[in-house]
Amino acid sequence: MTDPRVDLLLALGDDELVLGHRHAHWTGVAPHLEEDLAFSSIAQDEIGHAVVWYRLAGELTGKDPDALGLGRPPEGYRNAILVERPNRDWGYTVARHYCYDIAEDVRLTTLADSLWTPLAEATGALRREERYHLLHARLWLDRLAHGPLDARGHLADGLVAALAEAPGLFEPLPGEDELVADGVLPLASADQHTRWRDVVTAELTALGLEHVLDGSAHHSDGEFVPTSSGELLDTGDGAAAAGAVASGGGLGGRLGRHSEDFAEVWEELTGTYRAYPGVRW
Amino acid sequence: MDRWEVFGKRTLDDPWTSVGAVHAPDREMALLLAKESFFRHGEGVDFAVVRLDDLHVFGRSDLLAFATDKTYRLQAGYTGMGDKRRRATAKAQAAGAVIDRPRPADKRVLNTSHRRREAADD
């Protein structure tokens, strides 16, 4: 495909589809019933966003959204590696949800100014839903950050792991220079990354979690941080962070290079579509 | 975890109506979770949560039970009024009583519908 707009739309759609699918793995086993409903609903929202992007891509390629969403080989997907990772625990899930939805907010705000009108118009409905996703992500981040100890520890580990691969969300797209020059993409991926980092740095610092930005699940200076449960978190000599920090910044997804975790997602997502070609609901 | 009662409005002019409850550790979480628990199919335009402890509960079912016959307070206590009136009229006529002036006009309804209502009483 030579139209760089298709690569942009597939990157947008694939991020939403794959993360929506991972989110949906919490259905039935989320921390409690109310959260199960809320998170499953967010998962559905994200997959709904994917359909919006695939429809737009379909207008350029002549393919229907199902064929675009489910009918490509693994190397044809353009999602960031971050979104294909398993959920691990609730701490990682909230950390990734937060990293992703701040990124989506930056992305949609950028695209709202696109000179390609259909793209700019598509952001409107998505941003309305995105407000709830951000509310949800920030509230959970805040609650886990304020303890109890175990929760804050899981969150810090999750943030270290998610932040390590978050740069993949802003990996430059193939043909990005052309998209920027044409005003389709009003802000290059690198500049969006800067905006994202400013927001995340400010908010995590406000929660006393700035050390996760340096890849450490614990404070290096041994400060005691009070938590809402009244426990004191000795941040100096705690156990080593359990989360393995991925190298490479989670890059490669925008070029179709994925982690071993993508195979599982792809098998589940596309299995029915491949087994019954042309089947309809 | 606290239980929060959830109240919704279908339109902004509607009164608050109980729609269910959520369990949540605080007010913000209760609001966050109530949205997807009860309003994800377009059930209303607004909602509110109240911590169950903040409902001032009367809690005296003994004072709500009828101690004596209160059927006169119930609609069911007023059946068969048409028959009762006809019997009373017949009894009055048998006793020689005569109604010598017209019944006062019902200001709220036309006479025709008034008569129709009497017929429905029978």
Side-chain angles (χ1 to χ4, degrees):
Chain A
M1 294 175 208
T2 52
D3 190 337
R5 291 178 299 174
V6 175
D7 286 311
L8 170 64
L9 292 168
L10 290 182
L12 293 168
D14 292 348
D15 273 1
E16 305 270 32
L17 180 68
V18 173
L19 186 60
H21 187 73
R22 281 298 188 194
H23 278 354
H25 283 163
W26 279 107
T27 301
V29 294
H32 68 311
L33 176 63
E34 290 84 341
E35 181 54 36
D36 200 305
L37 283 166
F39 210 59
S40 300
S41 186
I42 288 173
Q44 288 178 324
D45 288 346
E46 301 292 25
I47 291 171
H49 293 183
V51 174
V52 171
W53 299 128
Y54 292 147
R55 284 212 177 107
L56 209 46
E59 289 173 17
L60 300 174
T61 60
K63 290 185 180 169
D64 74 73
D66 281 350
L68 283 169
L70 306 170
R72 281 173 286 151
E75 64 276 12
Y77 283 80
R78 295 286 179 264
N79 59 280
I81 285 174
L82 177 70
V83 301
E84 70 202 27
R85 294 297 191 190
N87 291 327
R88 294 165 59 139
D89 58 9
W90 189 244
Y92 177 74
T93 298
V94 167
R96 172 171 61 179
H97 170 33
Y98 171 74
C99 289
Y100 179 78
D101 279 299
I102 298 288
E104 192 177 356
D105 189 45
V106 169
R107 203 148 70 183
L108 293 175
T109 306
T110 300
L111 296 175
D113 294 328
S114 174
L115 294 183
W116 184 30
T117 315
L119 181 63
E121 284 173 351
T123 61
L126 272 52
R127 289 173 85 189
R128 268 202 304 284
E129 274 186 353
E130 196 49 33
R131 284 204 292 269
Y132 177 73
H133 297 184
L134 276 173
L135 202 65
H136 183 273
R138 285 191 168 118
L139 198 52
W140 267 107
L141 182 83
D142 179 84
R143 292 305 186 270
L144 294 183
H146 285 90
L149 273 186
D150 196 31
R152 189 175 167 99
H154 278 275
L155 175 66
D157 289 345
L159 281 166
V160 168
L163 288 166
E165 297 192 321
L169 293 168
F170 301 99
E171 181 179 3
L173 301 156
E176 176 160 325
D177 291 345
E178 193 182 330
L179 290 169
V180 173
D182 292 348
V184 173
L185 187 63
L187 205 57
S189 296
D191 296 325
Q192 293 183 50
H193 194 183
T194 303
R195 279 193 185 182
W196 173 87
R197 202 187 294 113
D198 288 347
V199 175
V200 168
T201 300
E203 294 185 1
L204 292 180
T205 302
L207 292 169
L209 284 164
E210 61 276 12
H211 50 89
V212 300
L213 296 160
D214 303 323
S216 168
H218 301 277
H219 271 287
S220 54
D221 52 9
E223 273 183 308
F224 282 94
V225 176
T227 71
S228 61
S229 58
E231 296 168 282
L232 283 175
L233 174 58
D234 177 358
T235 57
D237 57 356
V245 179
S247 58
L251 302 177
R254 299 291 185 240
L255 306 171
R257 291 200 287 271
H258 295 282
S259 71
E260 65 283 4
D261 293 323
F262 185 67
E264 177 198 15
V265 175
W266 185 81
E267 289 288 339
E268 280 183 4
L269 257 180
T270 65
T272 306
Y273 188 83
R274 284 181 287 117
Y276 304 96
V279 73
R280 301 206 67 84
W281 284 108
Chain B
M1 218 173 337
D2 284 334
R3 175 179 158 132
W4 301 74
E5 297 297 315
V6 184
F7 299 88
K9 283 180 185 239
R10 282 201 166 275
T11 75
L12 284 177
D13 293 333
D14 284 337
W16 293 113
T17 306
S18 172
V19 298
V22 293
H23 288 87
D26 55 56
R27 188 180 63 196
E28 289 78 16
M29 271 287 178
L31 285 167
L32 188 79
L33 298 176
K35 172 183 179 287
E36 297 303 325
S37 291
F38 298 110
F39 298 95
R40 68 185 186 283
H41 310 113
E43 286 90 341
V45 296
D46 206 356
F47 67 92
V49 297
V50 177
R51 199 195 303 264
L52 185 58
D53 288 349
D54 289 337
L55 287 184
H56 301 284
V57 177
F58 185 49
R60 294 291 302 273
S61 59
D62 57 323
L63 296 183
L64 296 178
F66 290 157
T68 57
D69 181 9
K70 304 281 193 230
T71 52
Y72 62 87
R73 292 181 180 173
L74 306 177
Q75 205 172 5
Y78 293 86
T79 53
M81 291 311 289
D83 275 347
K84 285 182 185 172
R85 190 171 51 73
R86 267 190 294 280
R87 279 202 304 277
T89 303
K91 203 169 166 183
Q93 282 171 347
V98 176
I99 297 172
D100 61 357
R101 64 184 77 168
R103 301 169 70 181
D106 188 325
K107 292 193 176 65
R108 290 166 304 169
V109 289
L110 295 172
N111 272 340
T112 49
S113 62
H114 184 74
R115 272 196 294 276
R116 211 178 294 132
R117 206 175 55 190
E118 275 180 17
D121 272 349
D122 295 343

